[in-house]
Amino acid sequence: MESEKKSSAISDVGAWAMNVVSSVGIIMANKQLMSNNGYAFSFASSLTGFHFAVTALVGLVSNATGYSASKHVPMWELIWFSLVANMSITGMNFSLMLNSVGFYQISKLSMIPVVCVMEWILHNKHYSREVKMSVVVVVIGVGVCTVTDVKVNLKGFMCACIAVLSTSLQQISIGSLQKKYSIGSFELLSKTAPIQALFLLILGPFVDYYLSGKLITNYKMSSGAILFILLSCSLAVFCNVSQYLCIGRFSAVSFQVLGHMKTVCVLTLGWLLFDSELTFKNIMGMVIAVVGMVIYSWAVELEKQSNAKTLPHAKNSMTEEEIRLLRDGVEKSPLKDVELGEAQG
């Protein structure tokens, strides 16, 4: 039992590490690819389409070689999930374009309470006081270190609302679909990735044209840009797989809370690699966020221990009650001939 717990803990840490490293890596690669100082590839939706196309190819090869088994999931559920996931991606792109960076960060922070409320509505899930407190600390910490100017307009606000709701619903759906159909994270991803890739590769160029005013067909591709696109796609496979792994193992709330560790890593690496400014306010926010994450981990563990103590206690109480009733029944009720005959037969 102890060895199983240890192995599970190592797997959990591995999944989180893969997600953090791949997510931070893809942000750094995309920064070089998309910035004006880099290769000025300003086609985010099309690039995401490339990501899912490569992920779908990896899933196809994996199924063909027998590395992973394909389980049945109704096509309408896969299409519905893919639409929600692509709405999340497009909504985030539009939100970043129409809103200030400050409001964009606030909308991302609002995902934690939105996920909590949606899980409460959809799955009747309740949270302890300690978990709620830790979530507030994390939100404050990340808010302090990332939110700067806050400007908003009606279009931007609507896009941010769509992005937050669709992203929250997508992350909750990953876990619920895995449990509902007893399907692994990679198997689910390999089924949804081709549908997402198809939608994004068809509609992505039009979305990018609306966002940037440039056509991807007019972009002059260099060997450096191709190299970074391939790097971005490779990291996206690990990022997508690890996201499904993490949400399948934990919950959408845990993924959001501990996922803000990536924000801390991005700010730190931006300062180390790209000479980004790191102020006292940033450092204080990062410290508060990390403290909040530690409190959250402690609160979740406390909740698990509390549930573990409650369940055996309830079981023992019920067993004792059954024994008492059985004893009273034997002492007070004479056995019938039919019952004896059935017992002997």
Side-chain angles (χ1 to χ4, degrees), residues 20-33:
V20 171
V21 171
S22 59
S23 298
V24 173
I26 201 171
I27 289 169
M28 294 296 130
N30 288 351
K31 186 177 177 68
Q32 180 64 26
L33 177 65

Side-chain angles (χ1 to χ4, degrees), residues 85-147:
N86 285 349
M87 197 182 297
S88 161
I89 294 164
T90 309
M92 281 295 179
N93 286 341
F94 274 97
S95 177
L96 186 57
M97 180 192 78
L98 296 171
N99 298 314
S100 65
V101 175
F103 186 78
Y104 176 75
Q105 289 295 341
I106 286 176
S107 67
K108 285 182 73 175
L109 286 174
S110 69
M111 282 181 203
I112 297 178
V114 169
V115 167
C116 290
V117 171
M118 289 182 78
E119 285 202 320
W120 172 63
I121 293 169
L122 297 173
H123 301 141
N124 197 29
K125 190 170 182 178
H126 297 276
Y127 300 92
S128 66
R129 185 179 59 187
E130 290 83 6
V131 169
K132 292 174 185 174
M133 180 184 71
S134 63
V135 165
V136 171
V137 174
V138 171
V139 169
I140 291 171
V142 177
V144 167
C145 68
T146 58
V147 176

Side-chain angles (χ1 to χ4, degrees), residues 160-178:
C161 288
I162 291 168
V164 168
L165 289 171
S166 56
T167 303
S168 302
L169 186 58
Q170 179 219 4
Q171 293 183 355
I172 291 170
S173 299
I174 290 172
S176 60
L177 282 174
Q178 285 183 243

Side-chain angles (χ1 to χ4, degrees), residues 38-330:
Y39 296 98
F41 185 85
S42 56
F43 310 100
S45 299
S46 299
L47 181 62
T48 309
F50 299 156
H51 289 170
F52 281 108
V54 173
T55 304
L57 183 63
V58 171
L60 187 67
V61 171
S62 178
N63 287 332
T65 55
Y67 178 76
S68 58
S70 180
K71 291 186 179 180
H72 175 70
V73 179
M75 181 55 72
W76 72 267
E77 290 216 53
L78 294 176
I79 292 173
W80 174 83
F81 174 83
S82 300
L83 284 171
V84 170
N86 285 349
M87 197 182 297
S88 161
I89 294 164
T90 309
M92 281 295 179
N93 286 341
F94 274 97
S95 177
L96 186 57
M97 180 192 78
L98 296 171
N99 298 314
S100 65
V101 175
F103 186 78
Y104 176 75
Q105 289 295 341
I106 286 176
S107 67
K108 285 182 73 175
L109 286 174
S110 69
M111 282 181 203
I112 297 178
V114 169
V115 167
C116 290
V117 171
M118 289 182 78
E119 285 202 320
W120 172 63
I121 293 169
L122 297 173
H123 301 141
N124 197 29
K125 190 170 182 178
H126 297 276
Y127 300 92
S128 66
R129 185 179 59 187
E130 290 83 6
V131 169
K132 292 174 185 174
M133 180 184 71
S134 63
V135 165
V136 171
V137 174
V138 171
V139 169
I140 291 171
V142 177
V144 167
C145 68
T146 58
V147 176
T148 51
D149 59 312
V150 179
K151 294 176 185 175
V152 64
N153 54 72
L154 184 60
K155 278 186 180 179
F157 180 75
M158 293 297 293
C159 286
C161 288
I162 291 168
V164 168
L165 289 171
S166 56
T167 303
S168 302
L169 186 58
Q170 179 219 4
Q171 293 183 355
I172 291 170
S173 299
I174 290 172
S176 60
L177 282 174
Q178 285 183 243
K179 289 173 186 173
K180 186 177 180 180
Y181 296 104
S182 300
I183 188 171
S185 53
F186 186 73
E187 285 76 19
L188 179 60
L189 178 60
S190 64
K191 286 181 176 296
T192 57
I195 303 170
Q196 286 185 253
L198 186 64
F199 280 126
L200 286 168
L201 290 175
I202 293 172
L203 299 175
F206 297 102
V207 175
D208 290 330
Y209 180 73
Y210 181 79
L211 290 172
S212 64
K214 299 175 185 176
L215 286 170
I216 191 170
T217 50
N218 294 336
Y219 179 77
K220 292 182 180 179
M221 200 71 73
S222 64
S223 56
I226 293 171
L227 180 67
F228 270 90
I229 288 171
L230 291 173
L231 176 62
S232 181
C233 290
S234 302
L235 288 167
V237 174
F238 290 101
C239 187
N240 288 329
V241 170
S242 60
Q243 179 184 354
Y244 279 59
L245 269 173
C246 288
I247 296 175
R249 286 172 173 272
F250 307 104
S251 69
V253 177
S254 296
F255 183 75
Q256 280 292 333
V257 171
L258 297 178
H260 281 301
M261 180 61 76
K262 291 177 281 190
T263 305
V264 175
C265 292
V266 168
L267 285 171
T268 307
L269 285 173
W271 173 62
L272 291 171
L273 300 177
F274 296 101
D275 296 324
S276 298
E277 187 182 4
L278 195 64
T279 63
F280 177 74
K281 176 174 167 282
N282 295 141
I283 296 167
M284 280 300 297
M286 285 191 281
V287 170
I288 295 169
V290 170
V291 168
M293 290 169 204
V294 172
I295 295 172
Y296 179 81
S297 301
W298 165 78
V300 169
E301 190 60 34
L302 195 70
E303 202 170 45
K304 283 181 184 176
Q305 290 175 5
S306 177
N307 291 337
K309 287 177 184 177
T310 304
L311 288 174
H313 178 69
K315 187 178 178 183
N316 289 339
S317 298
M318 189 171 63
T319 307
E320 287 165 9
E321 184 68 17
E322 286 174 347
I323 291 168
R324 186 182 64 76
L325 289 171
L326 183 61
R327 187 177 63 246
D328 291 346
V330 170

